[in-house]
Amino acid sequence: MADLVYSREVENMCVVAQGPNHGPAPLPEEGLWIKAKDVKDISGLTHGIGWCAPQQGACKLTLNIKNGIIHEALVETIGCSGMTHSAAMAAEILQGKTILEALNTDLVCDAINTAMRELFLQIVYGRSQSAFSEGGLTIGAGLEDLGKGTRSQVGTMYGTLAKGVRYLEMAEGYVTRMALDAEGQVIGYEFVNLGKMTDFIKKGDDPSTAYEKSQGHYGRFTAEDGAVKYIDPRKE
């Protein structure tokens, strides 16, 4: 760094001793109180949400940071096809960078960049999910958000005043049928878990068998429970 240059006004000032100089306020980090003075003093796992400039898509970003270095990244996107490809690049770029480097790295997509900014602010202020977890969370903890099927939790619903609601995707999977009661109200739904179906096919099941084994329903779906009509939410 170049030598500091002072203005003539500052050069002519006398020295006044500094009184309070107790350093930064301690932050809760992985079960400890840390006075963070450098990037390497930052650790924690946390999540954040980002959005692109036209606000047509969003990103949920999960980072696991140890001593300032990103060791694990989970990038989940929705609403924009190009964003999924950007997520693939970001998930490869982020590991090994300090959080300051990542903040100043072009992660290709506005939403992912915004999520990185939000995470940076959270974690440098000690607002991590693992703030009071002694020793922090293991590398791999980010995958727990995805569940056993290692798929993002997605909900997709659509509705109009004229025709009512349509359930399209739930956490359990792709909605195939909705159950209606005698008054035409939704009382349950049928779904197929696409992750399980794919796994069954990989293990040797034929597609029809895998499809049947991956089906389930939720709520009052059967006729015994009051269902009088079933509709395909995408076609009816």
Side-chain angles (χ1 to χ4, degrees):
M1 181 180 292
D3 293 337
L4 298 178
V5 178
Y6 297 93
S7 68
R8 182 177 297 276
E9 290 79 8
V10 173
E11 286 280 7
N12 291 332
M13 291 178 181
C14 64
V15 175
V16 176
Q18 185 178 13
N21 186 17
H22 45 64
L27 303 175
E29 290 186 23
E30 302 192 339
L32 300 173
W33 290 97
I34 303 296
K35 288 191 174 184
K37 298 182 180 180
D38 202 304
V39 165
K40 68 179 184 297
D41 298 326
I42 300 296
S43 294
L45 180 144
T46 197
H47 321 272
I49 302 295
W51 53 94
C52 59
Q55 298 189 17
Q56 67 184 17
C59 167
K60 177 189 173 188
L61 180 62
T62 304
L63 298 180
N64 198 347
I65 298 162
K66 304 291 185 184
N67 302 316
I69 302 292
I70 297 171
H71 283 264
E72 179 184 14
L74 172 63
V75 189
E76 301 174 82
T77 62
I78 190 169
C80 171
S81 58
M83 193 182 296
T84 62
H85 295 260
S86 299
M89 297 179 69
E92 188 171 358
I93 290 169
L94 285 167
Q95 288 81 254
K97 290 187 178 294
T98 69
I99 53 172
L100 185 58
E101 286 179 300
L103 182 67
N104 290 286
T105 296
D106 182 4
L107 298 175
V108 186
C109 167
D110 279 352
I112 303 174
N113 286 323
T114 303
M116 184 64 229
R117 180 194 71 195
E118 296 302 307
L119 254 71
F120 182 89
L121 292 174
Q122 288 179 37
I123 208 154
V124 299
Y125 285 130
R127 272 65 169 181
S128 69
Q129 302 295 315
S130 58
F132 299 102
S133 301
E134 186 175 356
L137 300 180
T138 59
I139 309 302
L143 283 177
E144 293 178 5
D145 272 8
L146 302 180
K148 293 181 180 179
T150 322
R151 285 173 60 89
S152 296
Q153 304 294 308
V154 177
T156 307
M157 313 298 154
Y158 177 73
T160 62
L161 179 60
K163 298 297 183 178
V165 70
R166 298 295 185 276
Y167 297 173
L168 302 174
E169 186 104 12
M170 290 283 195
E172 300 94 338
Y174 178 98
V175 177
T176 52
R177 289 191 296 168
M178 295 167 55
L180 309 182
D181 64 10
E183 297 179 352
Q185 297 184 28
V186 183
I187 59 172
Y189 56 88
E190 178 186 66
F191 61 87
V192 58
N193 188 310
L194 297 178
K196 287 184 178 180
M197 178 179 167
T198 303
D199 287 340
F200 286 136
I201 293 173
K202 287 193 293 185
K203 291 177 181 178
D205 286 350
D206 65 87
S208 295
T209 301
Y211 181 84
E212 291 176 3
K213 290 169 66 174
S214 304
Q215 281 185 311
H217 57 79
Y218 184 84
R220 294 160 50 208
F221 188 77
T222 64
E224 290 79 6
D225 289 330
V228 299
K229 184 178 181 180
Y230 301 97
I231 64 169
D232 181 336
R234 291 170 174 80
K235 295 183 178 179
E236 297 176 73

